[in-house]
Amino acid sequence: HRGGNAEQYNADKKYKEAVAVAVEKCAEDTKGQTCYICTQALHWKTKEGLVRGCACRGTAGFAHVSCLAEQAKILVAEAEENNLDAKMLQSRWDRWGTCSLCEQDYHGVVRCALGWACWKTYVGRPETDWARLLAMNVLGNGLDEVDHHEDALAVKEAELAMRRRLGASKEQLLVVQNNLACTYEKFGQHECAL
């Protein structure tokens, strides 16, 4: 923060808070389980507990948010390094919001924590970078998922303004406007949603 990188500092702080909320909310469900990625109950580095916010049942789907985030980050980085086509890149990007086991979207506090994880991962990139733009979308949708509609609204309005400034296509703008309209609706601003 003192070094001038307030945006990264805030993203890191909000990520830690969101992970703590997700772990606490999932604590009863995750007792006695281990992460399917690192196979530990407590994360070796962060000491965070487990979450599960997908459609997995039984002993499947338990993970640390940091393990899920690292998995998504690695898959996207590999796709970038290997210049994979758009379809393959999108399938890897989807790991920021979709379970690799049951292939269902994460929901609730887990989706919010992953939204912050995604944003903190790509916030340092230039505003023209595709991953930074998509990370704003992941964060905004994650905030909506836990009824933080005012924060989601700020993120989605900023995303729309940035995309307009950068000359995004009509199709891209429609997607962002649709997401924004959904948030306006959840926030009770029906005229703005229209």
Side-chain angles (χ1 to χ4, degrees):
H1 175 64
R2 290 185 179 142
N5 200 350
E7 204 169 27
Q8 184 69 58
Y9 173 82
N10 183 60
D12 291 343
K13 181 179 175 209
K14 292 291 191 177
Y15 164 73
K16 288 176 187 170
E17 291 170 4
V19 169
V21 168
V23 168
E24 183 179 332
K25 180 99 176 179
C26 296
E28 187 65 35
D29 188 36
T30 60
K31 256 186 213 168
Q33 301 299 323
T34 59
C35 176
Y36 78 90
I37 299 169
C38 75
T39 69
Q40 301 296 312
L42 283 178
H43 191 274
W44 66 275
K45 186 176 180 183
T46 64
K47 304 297 183 217
E48 76 187 73
L50 298 166
V51 298
R52 181 165 72 176
C54 59
C56 285
R57 296 292 172 247
T59 59
F62 297 101
H64 303 108
V65 173
S66 57
C67 288
L68 294 170
E70 188 65 21
Q71 184 182 61
K73 179 180 168 183
I74 289 168
L75 288 171
V76 170
E78 287 175 351
E80 284 183 306
E81 290 168 14
N82 295 315
N83 294 316
L84 298 182
D85 64 25
K87 185 177 179 180
M88 287 299 298
L89 182 57
Q90 183 62 51
S91 72
R92 288 168 176 244
W93 180 265
D94 288 345
R95 287 295 161 243
W96 282 109
T98 306
C99 176
S100 63
L101 300 176
C102 68
E103 298 183 356
Q104 298 298 307
D105 289 345
Y106 292 110
H107 55 83
V109 291
V110 175
R111 184 159 182 180
C112 183
L114 282 169
W116 280 111
C118 184
W119 179 241
K120 87 178 195 78
T121 300
Y122 301 107
V123 67
R125 290 189 177 192
E127 76 171 12
T128 55
D129 185 86
W130 68 272
R132 181 187 165 106
L133 289 168
L134 288 179
M136 287 182 84
N137 181 269
V138 172
L139 175 58
N141 290 336
L143 289 166
D144 260 344
E145 188 71 23
V146 292
D147 298 328
H148 293 181
H149 303 306
E150 193 169 341
D151 293 335
L153 196 57
V155 170
K156 291 180 181 186
E157 286 175 338
E159 179 187 8
L160 180 60
M162 187 183 326
R163 287 187 182 264
R164 282 182 173 151
R165 191 171 60 255
L166 297 174
S169 70
K170 288 180 183 180
E171 293 81 11
Q172 291 171 330
L173 290 176
L174 281 173
V175 169
V176 176
Q177 287 172 319
N178 179 63
N179 287 337
L180 183 56
C182 291
T183 301
Y184 278 131
E185 184 67 29
K186 290 174 184 174
F187 202 53
Q189 295 185 10
H190 307 294
E191 289 299 316
C192 291
L194 289 173

